[in-house]
Amino acid sequence: MNNISQEQVREAICTIMRYIGEDPEREGLHNTPERIVRMYDEIFRGYKPEMKPRISTFTNSSHTDEMVFDCGDYYSMCEHHMLPFFGKYYFAYIPNPEGRILGISKVARVVGYCAAKLQLQEKLCRDVIDMLSEALTRTKTGKPLPPALGFAIVMKGHHTCKSMRGVKNKGDMTVSYFTGVFEKNRQLRNEFFNMIKMQ
């Protein structure tokens, strides 16, 4: 845990304002440093272990091994320029018939937590899968459970560090990551891609 105070961050923000040519004391900016400090606490919660979501899993009582699909929005910050990138994620996994299944609402919470730090889109995909995979094999007794048969994730993102600076061009990027049966089975990947097209 760092020992930097909110007041130190506030002063740093005022320094940045002066650097770009602003006056942090002018009327419109009086409370901006405080707002930015509060914003940082929210959008960078991924650095706080106590904010890590609790991932509910359940017994796979029906022994299903059918694809489970989920999609939603995400927002993150590029680690190269500290500018936003955001977009849609598309996630699927194949449960182990002898293992456990995810509480599907937890996928969005895990995506949000992993995205809430300075990130690379490629690393974000892996962070999400790693956290969900670990949750499915973790037990209170310490005895590992059978892992899921495979995971798939596609993240489409718009990077403002490309669209509003530098080349000032369309900053769209798509990253995919597959494990297990999704990595080995092209037909299964195609089924996943077809589900994405229907969204």
Side-chain angles (χ1 to χ4, degrees), residues 57-181:
T57 66
F58 305 92
T59 303
N60 189 355
S61 55
S62 60
H63 302 284
T64 182
D65 61 356
E66 298 296 322
M67 187 190 303
V68 180
F69 180 88
D70 181 54
C71 64
D73 301 322
Y74 75 92
Y75 302 86
S76 191
M77 296 285 279
C78 168
E79 69 177 42
H80 294 148
H81 297 96
M82 285 186 71
L83 285 171
F85 71 94
F86 54 90
K88 297 279 290 186
Y89 73 86
Y90 305 89
F91 166 86
Y93 82 109
I94 306 291
N96 191 308
E98 305 306 319
R100 294 179 72 82
I101 57 176
L102 290 166
I104 198 65
S105 67
K106 301 305 180 184
V107 175
R109 294 185 184 278
V110 167
V111 171
Y113 178 77
C114 291
K117 58 176 68 174
L118 299 181
Q119 266 289 16
L120 296 173
Q121 194 172 331
E122 301 91 331
K123 185 176 182 297
L124 179 54
C125 285
R126 291 176 178 266
D127 286 351
V128 169
I129 298 304
D130 288 349
M131 189 178 293
L132 292 170
S133 178
E134 192 272 336
L136 284 171
T137 57
R138 184 178 60 235
T139 62
K140 292 179 181 178
T141 63
K143 182 180 178 181
L145 290 166
L149 300 183
F151 289 92
I153 191 166
V154 166
M155 289 191 137
K156 297 182 178 182
H158 178 78
H159 291 250
T160 59
C161 61
K162 182 181 177 186
S163 59
M164 67 182 291
R165 59 156 300 282
V167 294
K168 295 184 178 66
N169 209 328
K170 192 173 183 181
D172 292 341
M173 178 177 174
T174 299
V175 176
S176 62
Y177 179 52
F178 304 103
T179 70
V181 291

Side-chain angles (χ1 to χ4, degrees), residues 33-45:
E34 287 81 5
R35 282 192 291 267
I36 292 175
V37 170
R38 291 195 301 271
M39 177 189 71
Y40 281 172
D41 286 339
E42 178 182 353
I43 68 174
F44 293 125
R45 66 191 181 281

Side-chain angles (χ1 to χ4, degrees), residues 11-36:
E11 286 303 316
I13 293 166
C14 288
T15 299
I16 292 170
M17 287 180 170
R18 294 185 188 100
Y19 172 75
I20 65 173
E22 264 294 356
D23 175 11
E25 299 304 317
R26 75 171 172 85
E27 183 178 356
L29 295 177
H30 272 172
N31 297 315
T32 295
E34 287 81 5
R35 282 192 291 267
I36 292 175

